[in-house]
Amino acid sequence: IKYRPVSNFAVRASYAESFLAPSLKQLFSGQEEGAESTSDTDIICPAFGVPAVACDAFPYRNVTGSNPNLKPETGQTRNIGFVFEPLPELAVAMDFWSIKKKNEVNQPTVESAVQQGLFNRRPSGEWQVFTNNQNIAGSESSGVDVDVRARLADTPWGKLSLRNNATYYHSVKTRTDVGDPLLEYVGTFLTPRWRNTLTFSLDSTNWATTLAVRTTAGMRDTEQDASSTAYRNARHIGTHEEVDLGVQYSGLQNLTLAGSVKNLLDNSVPYSQRGTLNQNGSLGFPWIYNPRGRFFQVSANYKFY
């Protein structure tokens, strides 16, 4: 929906529902089984019929893996915002958004699986607990996107313009199992509070030059939720900035030449204790930063028609 009460101001809103079908691996891949032990006298041992006195490192087998009965993950996205053009050279857009996802695929804890009755006893006497994939997780996030565009000046070398794109995350909450509370993770490892890209462009008849400054907020070096003691005691990862420079020439018929330097200042990604662990990748954490340092790109595009 979009409503423009005056020529330089518009209000817009949208609503969408979405789904993500489970992958073939989540549905039909092999299952793994491993030896585990428990001393849980509240849930697991009572379900096995094991008295508390015998529940010290009691052995069982944990079965995990695919589940052919998975349902699609579902989501709802809401957005409301405005576009304001107070001057022909200036436009400002702001959009507030929220995203809710349900039935996300995750593996339940052993305690949750036992409470659901997902266990049995083999003829050999061994107990099995099945923590296969289930549609049990969920998440809610909200924030605001800001897009500012301005034409700064007409110079002898072309038109100089500016664009600034920013995303601010008000909240990023997740739960890993049915009945669990939604916990806040914004500002923790891999979930920075904001990101910003500031771009200067200089355009002429045949030349286009761009200089982009990308900034990512700092965060706490922990994967524990924002209400935890681990979060409060975790070291702080600083902000990170990278500068990109690109040039394009289209003055030759049917041919466009381009070159760019990514991470022009060769800034290294900030150190993270979590980012050095194998499960989070090496050389930093590539979900947020590019770990390659400065690198160059050139391209030529020729149209035959």
Side-chain angles (χ1 to χ4, degrees), residues 239-276:
T239 59
H240 180 62
E241 299 81 23
E242 289 188 10
V243 178
D244 299 336
L245 177 65
V247 179
Q248 179 176 289
Y249 178 68
S250 55
L252 302 174
Q253 185 176 6
N254 297 337
L255 179 65
T256 300
L257 303 175
S260 64
V261 185
K262 302 292 186 181
N263 195 1
L264 177 66
L265 303 180
D266 199 22
N267 285 345
S268 298
V269 300
Y271 174 77
S272 165
Q273 294 171 341
R274 301 299 306 171
T276 60

Side-chain angles (χ1 to χ4, degrees), residues 58-171:
F58 186 82
Y60 68 94
R61 308 289 290 185
N62 185 16
V63 181
T64 187
S66 61
N67 179 359
N69 298 315
L70 290 175
K71 300 181 296 183
E73 300 177 358
T74 58
Q76 296 177 330
T77 304
R78 296 172 175 83
N79 186 92
I80 185 168
F82 66 85
V83 180
F84 182 43
E85 300 172 290
L87 300 170
E89 299 83 9
L90 178 63
V92 179
M94 183 176 289
D95 292 281
F96 299 87
W97 51 265
S98 69
I99 301 171
K100 293 184 179 182
K101 294 198 286 186
K102 299 188 298 183
N103 298 324
E104 292 184 275
V105 176
N106 197 18
Q107 294 178 350
T109 63
V110 173
E111 292 80 7
S112 175
V114 169
Q115 288 176 322
Q116 296 175 58
L118 300 176
F119 63 94
N120 66 19
R121 193 173 190 179
R122 287 174 166 172
S124 61
E126 282 186 310
W127 285 96
Q128 289 179 301
V129 180
F130 299 91
T131 57
N132 303 74
N133 293 330
Q134 294 184 20
N135 296 103
I136 55 175
S139 61
E140 295 182 7
S141 56
S142 61
V144 58
D145 293 334
V146 180
D147 185 2
V148 179
R149 307 184 191 199
R151 192 174 69 191
L152 300 179
D154 291 330
T155 73
W157 305 279
K159 295 179 179 179
L160 179 63
S161 58
L162 170 151
R163 182 174 184 181
N164 193 80
N165 277 307
T167 296
Y168 179 86
Y169 297 87
H170 173 261
S171 177

Side-chain angles (χ1 to χ4, degrees), residues 130-248:
F130 299 91
T131 57
N132 303 74
N133 293 330
Q134 294 184 20
N135 296 103
I136 55 175
S139 61
E140 295 182 7
S141 56
S142 61
V144 58
D145 293 334
V146 180
D147 185 2
V148 179
R149 307 184 191 199
R151 192 174 69 191
L152 300 179
D154 291 330
T155 73
W157 305 279
K159 295 179 179 179
L160 179 63
S161 58
L162 170 151
R163 182 174 184 181
N164 193 80
N165 277 307
T167 296
Y168 179 86
Y169 297 87
H170 173 261
S171 177
V172 179
K173 295 181 178 180
T174 11
R175 66 165 170 261
T176 56
D177 206 342
V178 174
D180 286 352
L182 284 162
L183 299 176
E184 182 64 71
Y185 287 93
V186 72
T188 64
F189 179 72
L190 296 183
T191 315
R193 174 72 72 174
W194 53 265
R195 304 168 191 254
N196 191 83
T197 302
L198 175 64
T199 306
F200 293 92
S201 302
L202 185 62
D203 297 312
S204 63
T205 304
N206 297 321
W207 291 90
T209 304
T210 59
L211 180 71
V213 182
R214 294 178 284 114
T215 309
T216 303
M219 63 201 89
R220 296 281 184 172
D221 200 2
T222 178
E223 293 176 295
Q224 300 299 312
D225 68 275
S227 65
S228 66
T229 303
Y231 174 86
R232 293 190 292 271
N233 295 335
R235 63 182 293 274
H236 186 262
I237 303 171
T239 59
H240 180 62
E241 299 81 23
E242 289 188 10
V243 178
D244 299 336
L245 177 65
V247 179
Q248 179 176 289

